[in-house]
């Protein structure tokens, strides 16, 4: 009994300490978010092929635009018809090597179909930016039995990255980026909450599912980095900051019906809102800068290395989350990374 009490007390102290550390990190984040920072990368990306999930909207569109402007071949993976967005990128950059392919990250079958198409049509993939994200969906549970927000933001990208290992290896110097958010520091992640579907209020969906999905993006980057380094694949996570995007519109829409959120947004978000091009700077910096060609397993904000949430120091929990995610996305034994 005494041992159990001591263990519980240690867990509580660990949790409180982690909460304090994350709060301090969030304060540093706010001070950095008020500044503007653009990449100093001048790299030419002609001959490179990039995949940007959700590259037809918001930060993803801005990232696709930046990549295309350097001569990169860009494949946009998205649910909707992106002919208009592809035409706009071609017109603005003069780069005609832009295409869009069907990808619904909230469907394991769609992710597999997309990956199979890429592997059959592309010799190599040099850049993979796991950018697509949502704050909510009408259907909390996907047809795969997964939390739809977690599946779109995290599970789908986890599966996709595994399935694209071979074309990433062919590159010889591939770079992968997982898009996260400052929301990661407000997570409530545990093994039991990894695929929770019980909470259904809009505020709870945002504060639990979305925040947990964003800390999972950082976890994924850290762990993929360890497993892919031997193939010459560098993996990092990026925080785009708060920008004028469709996701921000969704959050504002929820805030209109929630006085606490409305107050928080008005008092904090206003001074640090950036446009989508600036929001795309960090992920673009990670995949293009020559100075970062050996950088892996790190988290970046405003084009600088930034502290990860405290939970990432708990390797036992991180390992369990990785293994549980492998099960949830139905990886076969041959698809799992060692």
């Amino acid at each position: 009994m005494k041992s159990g009490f001591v263990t519980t007390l240690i867990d509580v102290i660990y949790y409180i300490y982690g909460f304090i550390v994350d709060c301090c990190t969030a304060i540093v984040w706010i001070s950095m978010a008020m500044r503007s920072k653009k990449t100093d990368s001048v790299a030419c990306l002609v001959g490179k092929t990039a995949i940007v999930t959700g590259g037809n909207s918001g930060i993803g569109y801005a990232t696709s635009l930046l990549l295309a402007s350097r001569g990169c071949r860009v494949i946009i993976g998205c649910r909707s018809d992106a002919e208009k967005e592809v035409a706009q990128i071609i017109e603005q950059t003069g780069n005609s090597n832009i295409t869009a392919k069907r990808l619904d990250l909230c469907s394991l079958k769609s992710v597999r179909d997309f990956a199979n198409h890429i592997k059959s049509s592309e010799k190599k993939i040099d850049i993979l930016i796991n950018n697509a994200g949502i704050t909510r969906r009408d259907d909390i549970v996907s047809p795969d039995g997964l939390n739809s927000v977690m599946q779109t933001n995290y599970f789908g990208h986890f599966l996709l990255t595994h399935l694209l290992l071979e074309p990433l290896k062919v590159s010889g110097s591939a770079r992968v980026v997982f898009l996260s958010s400052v929301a990661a520091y407000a997570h409530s992640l545990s093994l039991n909450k990894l695929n929770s579907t019980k909470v259904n209020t809009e505020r709870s969906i945002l504060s639990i599912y979305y925040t947990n999905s964003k800390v999972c993006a950082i976890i994924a980057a850290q762990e993929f980095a360890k497993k892919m380094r031997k193939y010459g694949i560098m993996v990092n996570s990026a925080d785009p900051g708060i920008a004028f995007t469709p996701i921000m519109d969704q959050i504002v829409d929820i805030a209109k019906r929630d006085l606490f959120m409305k107050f928080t947004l008005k008092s904090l978000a206003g001074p640090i809102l950036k446009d989508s091009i600036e929001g795309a700077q960090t992920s673009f910096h990670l995949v293009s800068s020559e100075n970062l060609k050996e950088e892996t397993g790190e988290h970046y904000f405003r084009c600088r290395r930034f502290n990860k949430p405290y939970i990432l120091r708990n390797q036992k929990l991180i390992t369990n989350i990785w293994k549980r995610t492998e099960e949830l996305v139905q990886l076969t034994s041959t698809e799992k990374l060692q």
Side-chain angles (χ1 to χ4, degrees):
M1 181 67 69
K2 182 178 179 181
S3 177
F5 172 77
V6 171
T7 301
T8 301
L9 181 60
I10 292 173
D11 288 342
V12 170
I13 293 173
Y14 182 86
Y15 174 82
I16 294 174
Y17 180 73
F19 175 78
I20 293 171
V21 171
D22 283 348
C23 285
C24 292
T25 302
I27 293 172
V28 175
W29 185 96
I30 291 172
S31 67
M32 288 180 63
M34 293 183 180
R35 309 170 196 166
S36 294
K37 176 64 177 177
K38 294 188 177 182
T39 180
D40 57 3
S41 170
V42 293
C44 173
L45 300 179
V46 172
K48 301 284 188 181
T49 298
I51 293 175
V52 183
T53 68
N56 62 319
S57 177
I59 299 294
Y61 177 84
T63 305
S64 298
L65 193 64
L66 289 171
L67 290 167
S69 72
R70 301 292 181 90
C72 187
R73 168 168 164 71
V74 181
I75 302 169
I76 295 171
C78 58
R79 289 182 296 166
S80 58
D81 179 8
E83 286 187 14
K84 178 183 176 182
E85 289 78 11
V86 168
Q88 288 174 342
I89 293 173
I90 293 173
E91 181 181 358
Q92 291 182 69
T93 64
N95 181 352
S96 61
N97 210 359
I98 314 299
T99 188
K101 300 185 186 300
R102 167 77 177 174
L103 171 62
D104 182 357
L105 287 157
C106 203
S107 163
L108 298 181
K109 181 181 183 303
S110 178
V111 173
R112 287 188 174 276
D113 289 345
F114 176 84
N116 287 334
H117 182 80
I118 293 296
K119 287 186 285 188
S120 65
S121 62
E122 305 295 329
K123 294 181 180 179
K124 65 181 176 68
I125 296 298
D126 303 285
I127 295 168
L128 171 61
I129 300 182
N130 291 314
N131 162 86
I134 59 172
T135 58
R136 66 182 182 194
R137 275 177 67 124
D138 293 335
D139 50 334
I140 295 175
V141 183
S142 78
D144 297 307
L146 302 176
N147 178 295
S148 57
V149 174
M150 287 293 293
Q151 185 169 0
T152 301
N153 296 0
Y154 167 58
F155 296 137
H157 286 133
F158 183 91
L159 175 60
L160 179 63
T161 306
H162 275 89
L163 298 180
L164 293 180
L165 175 62
E166 289 308 315
L168 287 168
K169 284 166 62 176
V170 173
S171 169
S173 58
R175 303 193 202 184
V176 179
V177 172
F178 285 81
L179 264 288
S180 184
S181 164
V182 65
Y185 298 92
H187 74 88
S188 58
L189 184 64
S190 67
L191 196 57
N192 291 333
K193 288 184 179 179
L194 182 62
N195 189 42
S196 173
T197 57
K198 294 180 180 179
V199 183
N200 56 16
T201 65
E202 285 193 319
R203 182 174 170 185
S204 294
I205 290 172
L206 183 63
S207 63
I208 297 177
Y209 304 159
Y210 182 72
T211 58
N212 285 353
S213 73
K214 289 306 176 180
V215 76
C216 280
I218 303 176
I219 291 171
Q222 175 178 282
E223 299 306 298
F224 269 114
K226 296 174 184 176
K227 298 173 184 293
M228 288 182 155
R229 181 68 185 260
K230 60 187 175 184
Y231 304 120
I233 303 170
M234 305 296 113
V235 190
N236 296 285
S237 54
D239 180 347
I242 301 177
F244 294 100
T245 65
I247 279 189
M248 191 61 189
D249 291 338
Q250 292 175 12
I251 295 174
V252 169
D253 186 49
I254 295 173
K256 288 178 181 177
R257 300 185 294 277
D258 189 306
L259 291 178
F260 175 76
M261 284 187 64
K262 186 175 182 179
F263 171 78
T264 302
L265 280 174
K266 288 183 70 174
S267 58
L268 293 179
I272 56 181
L273 274 172
K274 307 294 182 182
D275 61 38
S276 57
I277 288 291
E278 183 152 359
Q281 294 294 312
T282 301
S283 52
F284 178 73
H285 183 65
L286 281 167
V287 300
S288 65
S289 174
E290 279 297 307
N291 294 330
L292 299 181
K293 61 184 179 181
E294 296 297 326
E295 188 76 291
T296 195
E298 300 296 342
H299 182 56
Y300 270 68
F301 175 53
R302 290 286 187 264
C303 299
R304 295 180 181 179
R305 193 181 296 176
F306 196 72
N307 289 339
K308 301 174 186 177
Y310 192 77
I311 191 175
L312 276 94
R313 304 184 191 187
N314 186 343
Q315 189 57 51
K316 181 179 179 181
L317 175 60
I318 300 305
T319 299
N320 288 335
I321 286 173
W322 180 275
K323 290 180 178 178
R324 179 59 180 148
T325 304
E326 289 179 326
E327 296 171 0
L328 291 172
V329 302
Q330 302 171 29
L331 282 177
T332 65
S333 57
T334 57
E335 291 168 343
K336 293 178 181 178
L337 293 170
Q338 300 303 319

